[in-house]
Amino acid sequence: MAGQGLTQEINARWTRVRGVLRAEVGDSAYKSWLKPLGLVDFSNGVVRLSVPTRFMRDWIANHYGRRLSDLWCEGDSLVSEVEIFVLSETQDRRTQTPFQPPTEASVSAMAGTQVLPDRVKGDVSAALDPRFKFENFVVGKPNELAYAAARRVADAETATYNPLFLYGGVGLGKTHLMHAIAWHIREHQPGRKVVYLSAEKFMYFFIRALRFQDTMAFKERFRSVDVLMIDDVQFINGKESTQEEFFHTFNDLVDNNRQVVVSADKSPSDLEGMEERLRSRLGWGLVADIHATTYELRLGILQSKKDEIGAVVPDKVLEFLAHKITSSVRELEGALNRVAAHASLIGRDITLESCQEVLHDLLRASDRRISIEEIQKRVAAHFNIRLADMHSARRSRAIARPRQVAMYLAKQLTSRSLPEIGRKFGGRDHTTVMHAVKKVEELRTNDTTFAEDVDLLRRMLED
Ligand code: ADP
Ligand code: MG
């Protein structure tokens, strides 16, 4: 397997894209430039193609980038973006050379080349991602309210909680839940018309209607819709008159009993650049927030994604990832995909070591975010002990317990080894750190107040 999304559909499109390009550029240019492209992965609307060298990547991006992305994205394609990255030959299994982690250059190239389509499709509703269904959504404490509300709206036959306002940080599952609502309604109530689109697209249609003095038609168009979902409404801002008109359209829909679902990265009251009246209107229905993930949820998501992509990943690796990649589910998925794609490319099993190597850049970035000193400072302040006691030899429980918590968090939140952590705590032995980690884990399962304390500290540190 080479990535979670290489479905038949994607493979078929790739065959078609290549066929068209070949006809357009001719055999010899095709053989030199386009044939070496490899289809590696598809997820979240992004197709990833690999090339063997940087030079080729730049050439292809400059000469064929626009055409490639047009062909990939045209019609009602699932693809919205094409990324070309350099996969050096040493990483290719054909050469049988020992595994080497991606170089700095190949990683930045990966982030660097993006060919964005700049067209807006003619139809109103955007394509739905087939993986974004309720069955594939892992429910945990941080998202249970949003999930329950989404399910309720999807099951209802008339408008409930109008609007349903889902909000939360980047990559925490807002779009996933919206698509899931749409899939569910399409399947169980095919008579209802569901439209899902980004706020940007909504505004595009809207402003176009204003320009052509055609807002009546605009309203009609959306009035024929039973369920309207607008994703990322934080992008709705701009001129007062535009917002005014939007406000009326929105009210119209709700008054006519159309279900409206919106998402944003902030709560209604925190939306900047939006008129007070519109903000408060958006908060009238049910406002459900998705909180930052917990370790348990991340582990659950990894387990389910692992099955989805059919990769064999040891529990140790999943636990490691759940500890280290805490920023968003999107990054978590990306990390798992990278590890799995790599293992399959070089034809080896996934191990903790290979995982650390493949993700060294990501892990370093997360280490930069939190230092052991910072952890010690926070924990000392939280338990009201002196910072110096993190290093001292004092063993009274009031001191030793916080110190153990700090060691535990250092193990969880940084990628420092046990001996390294020991050194930072007044030159203690690695077995002392190991003992601390075990102790805290044990206390966490037996004492919920303690567990909450530790989680709180952890969340504060991760922010
Ligand atoms: P947002 O719209 O909040 O930025 P997305 O809905 O695009 O985030 O989610 C990012 C990625 O993480 C998607 O691939 C999505 O499937 C996945 N994801 C997020 N939350 C969950 C979850 N609870 N269970 C399974 N996958 C999830
Ligand atoms: Mg989204």
Side-chain angles (χ1 to χ4, degrees):
M1 76 102 248
Q4 72 181 93
L6 292 185
T7 54
Q8 243 177 349
E9 202 172 337
I10 293 296
N11 280 312
R13 186 168 274 261
W14 181 217
T15 308
R16 204 183 82 76
V17 169
R18 281 194 296 190
V20 172
L21 281 172
R22 184 176 198 141
E24 285 177 354
V25 305
D27 265 332
S28 95
Y30 177 82
K31 273 198 190 121
S32 333
W33 300 111
L34 297 163
K35 200 158 173 248
L37 279 171
L39 172 60
V40 173
D41 177 47
F42 170 71
S43 66
N44 291 333
V46 182
V47 151
R48 294 193 181 77
L49 304 173
S50 68
V51 285
T53 67
R54 235 186 133 144
F55 174 72
M56 277 187 93
R57 172 181 63 91
D58 295 339
W59 179 277
I60 292 168
N62 284 332
H63 291 81
Y64 307 112
R66 171 54 47 88
R67 189 70 189 126
L68 257 176
S69 107
D70 278 349
L71 288 170
W72 268 110
C73 308
E74 103 193 329
D76 58 352
S77 173
L78 302 173
V79 180
S80 59
E81 204 171 308
V82 179
E83 211 177 273
I84 306 172
F85 69 95
V86 183
L87 193 65
S88 64
E89 262 151 25
T90 47
Q91 289 164 239
D92 196 315
R93 77 144 68 98
R94 273 169 304 178
T95 58
Q96 296 294 325
T97 44
F99 163 73
Q100 295 193 333
T103 60
E104 211 68 80
S106 71
V107 170
S108 63
M110 211 184 270
T113 313
Q114 297 196 356
V115 191
L116 290 162
D118 55 3
R119 289 162 299 111
V120 178
K121 286 180 208 133
D123 60 348
V124 188
S125 192
L128 297 176
D129 190 313
R131 295 169 303 124
F132 290 1
K133 299 194 173 164
F134 283 126
E135 301 92 273
N136 309 328
F137 192 81
V138 181
V139 187
K141 255 222 155 68
N143 59 26
E144 64 189 359
L145 174 65
Y147 173 81
R151 273 229 92 113
R152 180 72 60 86
V153 164
D155 283 327
E157 276 163 24
T158 54
T160 347
Y161 317 128
N162 221 356
L164 169 60
F165 189 102
L166 299 170
Y167 80 92
V170 169
L172 296 181
K174 302 181 294 294
T175 299
H176 189 135
L177 280 178
M178 291 182 113
H179 284 210
I181 294 174
W183 282 119
H184 192 86
I185 295 177
R186 280 188 189 174
E187 189 181 336
H188 297 275
Q189 302 179 58
R192 295 179 89 198
K193 185 165 176 200
V194 185
V195 163
Y196 162 89
L197 77 176
S198 67
E200 279 161 316
K201 224 175 194 181
F202 186 82
M203 286 315 272
Y204 168 85
F205 286 125
F206 184 62
I207 287 165
R208 203 173 56 173
L210 277 185
R211 188 164 309 140
F212 294 107
Q213 295 174 341
D214 201 13
T215 47
M216 279 308 285
F218 176 85
K219 283 181 196 169
E220 278 313 308
R221 189 174 194 178
F222 283 100
R223 248 195 222 156
S224 66
V225 169
D226 296 294
V227 184
L228 175 65
M229 294 196 266
I230 305 180
D231 208 350
D232 290 320
V233 294
Q234 70 271 15
F235 295 124
I236 291 188
N237 47 34
K239 282 194 304 199
E240 236 171 74
S241 57
T242 316
Q243 292 200 22
E244 180 84 355
E245 196 59 42
F246 176 76
F247 179 76
H248 290 304
T249 309
F250 180 89
N251 278 340
D252 253 28
L253 287 167
V254 173
D255 290 345
N256 282 288
N257 243 337
R258 311 297 172 192
Q259 173 71 53
V260 179
V261 182
V262 291
S263 84
D265 64 351
K266 302 184 194 68
S267 75
S269 54
D270 288 336
L271 287 171
E272 287 148 23
M274 193 179 279
E275 261 192 82
E276 171 55 30
R277 197 157 63 133
L278 185 50
R279 268 189 288 172
S280 85
R281 184 69 190 81
L282 287 172
W284 273 14
L286 179 71
V287 177
D289 57 341
I290 307 184
H291 299 276
T293 56
T294 55
Y295 170 74
E296 286 70 25
L297 179 61
R298 289 194 294 275
L299 192 61
I301 289 172
L302 284 170
Q303 257 142 6
S304 123
K305 300 281 170 194
K306 172 199 76 168
D307 295 340
E308 233 172 77
I309 63 177
V312 181
V313 191
D315 284 346
K316 272 258 169 303
V317 171
L318 297 180
E319 285 160 17
F320 176 78
L321 291 174
H323 275 312
K324 299 293 182 193
I325 319 277
T326 55
S327 42
S328 83
V329 181
R330 188 171 297 135
E331 266 201 54
L332 194 63
E333 270 192 321
L336 181 66
N337 283 339
R338 253 170 87 181
V339 171
H342 231 277
S344 117
L345 271 174
I346 63 165
R348 302 237 179 96
D349 290 344
I350 297 170
T351 63
L352 197 52
E353 289 69 38
S354 73
C355 163
Q356 275 166 321
E357 272 171 15
V358 173
L359 301 177
H360 76 287
D361 55 326
L362 248 186
L363 297 170
R364 239 199 354 246
S366 80
D367 267 0
R368 256 201 302 280
R369 283 203 281 272
I370 308 168
S371 67
I372 293 184
E373 288 75 12
E374 232 175 296
I375 294 173
Q376 293 174 326
K377 231 187 265 166
R378 282 285 187 136
V379 175
H382 182 82
F383 290 102
N384 224 347
I385 64 168
R386 293 176 313 137
L387 181 57
D389 282 328
M390 287 289 163
H391 315 273
S392 76
R394 294 178 62 187
R395 282 156 175 253
S396 72
R397 161 141 353 145
I399 307 278
R401 190 70 84 227
R403 197 192 289 135
Q404 287 175 326
V405 169
M407 287 183 195
Y408 167 85
L409 288 170
K411 182 75 193 107
Q412 308 292 310
L413 300 176
T414 75
S415 62
R416 302 266 172 251
S417 66
L418 295 173
E420 277 175 305
I421 295 172
R423 271 197 292 282
K424 297 259 184 183
F425 284 82
R428 287 181 156 78
D429 193 65
H430 77 276
T431 53
T432 310
V433 183
M434 210 153 68
H435 173 74
V437 172
K438 274 217 192 92
K439 185 76 204 166
V440 172
E441 266 163 8
E442 192 185 298
L443 284 169
R444 269 181 53 126
T445 44
N446 299 328
D447 180 345
T448 47
T449 324
F450 179 80
E452 272 165 19
D453 244 22
V454 174
D455 286 341
L456 179 73
L457 271 166
R458 182 191 182 115
R459 240 174 286 134
M460 285 192 333
L461 284 160
E462 279 170 353
D463 272 348

